[in-house]
Amino acid sequence: MKIINLSERPEFQDAVTDWLWRAFGSENSREFFASVVRSSLSGADLPQTFIALDEGRLAGTVGLWRCDLISRQDLTPWLAALYVDNHFRSRGLGQQLQQFVLEQSRRSGFGELYLYADFTGYYERFGWKYIGDALDYPDKPVHLFHQLL
């Protein structure tokens, strides 16, 4: 398994957009996810999108974003949009993608990282600390996690 920046293989941007839209979006939010993915190809520090490839086949994706939760814009940066294709689940790829973003964040000079999820019990296994609850737009309760780098 190889994890790289999407900018190295931009031909996967539509597939990544569709994954994110289907996993995290709503009926009319595809263009939002397309915009984030396009922004990650601009060469800016944030956002960044990373992809996992298995012998050239797209296996998963994860983002490093300035903000992933509108109600908590005071926190930055965020591990965001972690997604593993069904065929590659239960093989540790989610953990590998998290580790990659943690390392990338350290190299970029960040001292901490945040994420949110609507579930518990997964991220805690990989060193994330629950720090409270918040609201995803407009009123969906979510759990906040933090990790010192």
Side-chain angles (χ1 to χ4, degrees):
M1 194 70 61
K2 183 177 180 182
I3 302 174
I4 61 171
N5 195 302
L6 178 63
S7 64
E8 296 178 44
R9 297 290 304 270
E11 68 269 23
F12 288 113
Q13 71 178 337
D14 286 338
V16 169
T17 295
D18 286 339
W19 273 356
L20 300 182
W21 173 48
R22 290 187 180 112
F24 307 114
S26 60
E27 181 180 332
N28 58 356
S29 64
R30 186 184 188 284
E31 185 50 36
F32 166 80
F33 290 101
S35 174
V36 172
V37 171
R38 275 193 309 273
S39 293
S40 73
L41 296 174
S42 72
D45 290 339
L46 296 174
Q48 293 184 44
T49 299
F50 306 101
I51 56 173
L53 298 174
D54 182 46
E55 298 180 8
R57 182 177 175 198
L58 189 60
T61 186
V62 67
L64 175 58
W65 296 359
R66 186 173 323 280
C67 184
D68 190 28
L69 191 61
I70 293 170
S71 67
R72 292 305 309 263
Q73 294 185 45
D74 58 315
L75 307 176
T76 193
W78 293 73
L79 182 147
L82 175 65
Y83 181 83
V84 175
D85 183 67
N86 287 334
H87 295 93
F88 296 94
R89 291 187 181 167
S90 301
R91 298 185 193 179
L93 181 54
Q95 181 180 11
Q96 290 176 41
L97 288 164
Q98 289 176 61
Q99 282 304 123
F100 189 88
V101 170
L102 289 167
E103 285 302 317
Q104 193 72 16
S105 298
R106 282 185 196 99
R107 281 194 295 268
S108 295
F110 297 119
E112 57 192 340
L113 198 58
Y114 297 90
L115 69 80
Y116 81 89
D118 58 3
F119 53 86
T120 59
Y122 175 73
Y123 289 106
E124 296 92 331
R125 295 185 300 182
F126 307 111
W128 293 92
K129 305 295 182 212
Y130 169 76
I131 59 169
D133 293 328
L135 289 177
D136 190 11
Y137 183 84
D139 60 358
K140 179 182 174 188
V142 294
H143 308 290
L144 297 175
F145 298 90
H146 175 257
Q147 194 163 141
L148 288 174
L149 305 175

